[in-house]
Amino acid sequence: MSLRINDIAPDFSANTTQGRIQFHDWIGDKWVVLFSHPKDFTPVCTTELGYMAKIEPEFTRRNTKLIGLSIDPVDAHDRWATDIEETQGHRPKYPMIGDTDLAVAKAYNMLPAEEPGSSDGRTAATNATVRTVFIIGPDKKIKLMMTYPMTTGRNFDEILRALDSIQLTAAHKVATPANWKHGEDVIIAGSVSDDDARTLFPDGWKSPKPYLRVVKQPG
C-alpha cells in the first residue's frame, strides 16, 4: 500500500534500543521524525545518526521526538552507536528500531509488501530504498516524506526547517515561501479571503499580486 501526505502513519509494535514500543502510544502528543537506514555500520548513515544526535535538542525544543530505523537487530544498533560516538562525537540517545522482520519497512512502503525473508543476509544494496525521512504530527498523520539515495547524505537542517514550516502553518492560516526560515515573512493561505485576512492580520500585508499576500510571521 502506498503512503501519501495526510495518511495516518502505520502503527506498529517493535523492539528498539530503548525497549519495545507501540508506535502510536510512543508518539503521544508529540511530533515525530522517523528516519530509516539500509544497514548498520554504513559510512553515510554513520554521519547522519551522529549529526541527528548533535541537533536532537533543537527537535526537543520543538516538541518533537526522534526515532531511527535500520533492518538490523537492536544489539547491532548498540554496537554501532559506539562507533558513531567515536567518529562523530555524539552518541544517539533517541531510540533505534530493530526491524529484523522487515515489517516496519514494508508498512511504510520502503520495501515491497511481498519482499521475502528477514534481515539475515541482506545488504545495504538490497535495502537501498529503506532511506526515507517521515515527519509525523501529533494527530498521527504523515506531514512530510523525503527519500534519498545511499550515496547522498541527508540535510537534516532542512528537515528542521521544514518542521518549523509545518508546525507554523498547522497553527496559523499561512504558507511559507521558497527557502523560508523561521522569523521571515510568510504568505497568507489561499483559502483565506481578504475579509477574513483583515481580521487575522490587522496590520495588513503586501500584495504584489492578488493571489500573493505577504505578511509578517505570526506568533
Side-chain angles (χ1 to χ4, degrees), residues 103-169:
V104 181
K106 291 178 182 179
Y108 279 77
N109 202 39
M110 294 183 286
L111 286 174
E114 64 275 12
E115 187 81 6
S118 66
S119 62
D120 291 343
R122 295 182 69 88
T123 67
T126 56
N127 297 336
T129 52
V130 187
R131 197 154 157 68
T132 302
V133 179
F134 299 89
I135 294 180
I136 300 165
D139 58 2
K140 315 302 186 288
K141 291 183 178 180
I142 295 171
K143 308 300 182 180
L144 173 146
M145 297 181 289
M146 296 177 69
T147 303
Y148 285 67
M150 288 194 299
T151 51
T152 301
R154 285 171 276 196
N155 184 338
F156 287 109
D157 291 337
E158 165 59 13
I159 303 302
L160 196 62
R161 187 199 73 88
L163 177 65
D164 280 341
S165 172
I166 292 166
Q167 290 184 336
L168 176 70
T169 59

Side-chain angles (χ1 to χ4, degrees), residues 105 157 188 199:
D157 291 337
I188 300 172
T199 301

Side-chain angles (χ1 to χ4, degrees), residues 53-127:
K54 176 183 177 181
I55 67 171
E56 183 176 12
E58 288 298 318
F59 288 96
T60 301
R61 195 162 61 84
R62 292 161 170 82
N63 195 38
T64 301
K65 292 180 171 183
L66 304 180
I67 187 165
L69 177 148
S70 181
I71 300 175
D72 277 308
V74 167
D75 61 342
H77 296 348
D78 287 330
R79 296 195 306 274
W80 190 20
T82 299
D83 286 1
I84 293 165
E85 183 178 24
E86 180 182 339
T87 61
Q88 308 304 309
H90 299 274
R91 187 182 187 93
K93 296 179 181 178
Y94 48 81
M96 281 282 290
I97 298 163
D99 191 26
T100 54
D101 60 1
L102 317 181
V104 181
K106 291 178 182 179
Y108 279 77
N109 202 39
M110 294 183 286
L111 286 174
E114 64 275 12
E115 187 81 6
S118 66
S119 62
D120 291 343
R122 295 182 69 88
T123 67
T126 56
N127 297 336

Side-chain angles (χ1 to χ4, degrees), residues 13 17 21 28 38 67 81 92 111 115 124 130 135 149 165 172 179 191 194:
S13 181
T17 50
I21 65 165
I67 187 165
L111 286 174
E115 187 81 6
V130 187
I135 294 180
S165 172
H172 302 277
N179 301 325
S191 59
D194 282 351

Side-chain angles (χ1 to χ4, degrees), residues 32-68:
V32 168
V33 176
L34 166 63
F35 57 112
S36 62
H37 305 83
K39 192 76 179 167
D40 290 4
F41 305 102
T42 49
V44 174
C45 297
T46 297
T47 66
E48 292 176 333
L49 287 161
Y51 189 73
M52 281 298 259
K54 176 183 177 181
I55 67 171
E56 183 176 12
E58 288 298 318
F59 288 96
T60 301
R61 195 162 61 84
R62 292 161 170 82
N63 195 38
T64 301
K65 292 180 171 183
L66 304 180
I67 187 165

Side-chain angles (χ1 to χ4, degrees), residues 17-36:
T17 50
Q18 296 181 11
R20 193 159 185 87
I21 65 165
Q22 188 68 40
F23 188 51
H24 281 192
D25 292 343
W26 181 82
I27 292 174
D29 61 355
K30 305 289 187 181
W31 294 74
V32 168
V33 176
L34 166 63
F35 57 112
S36 62

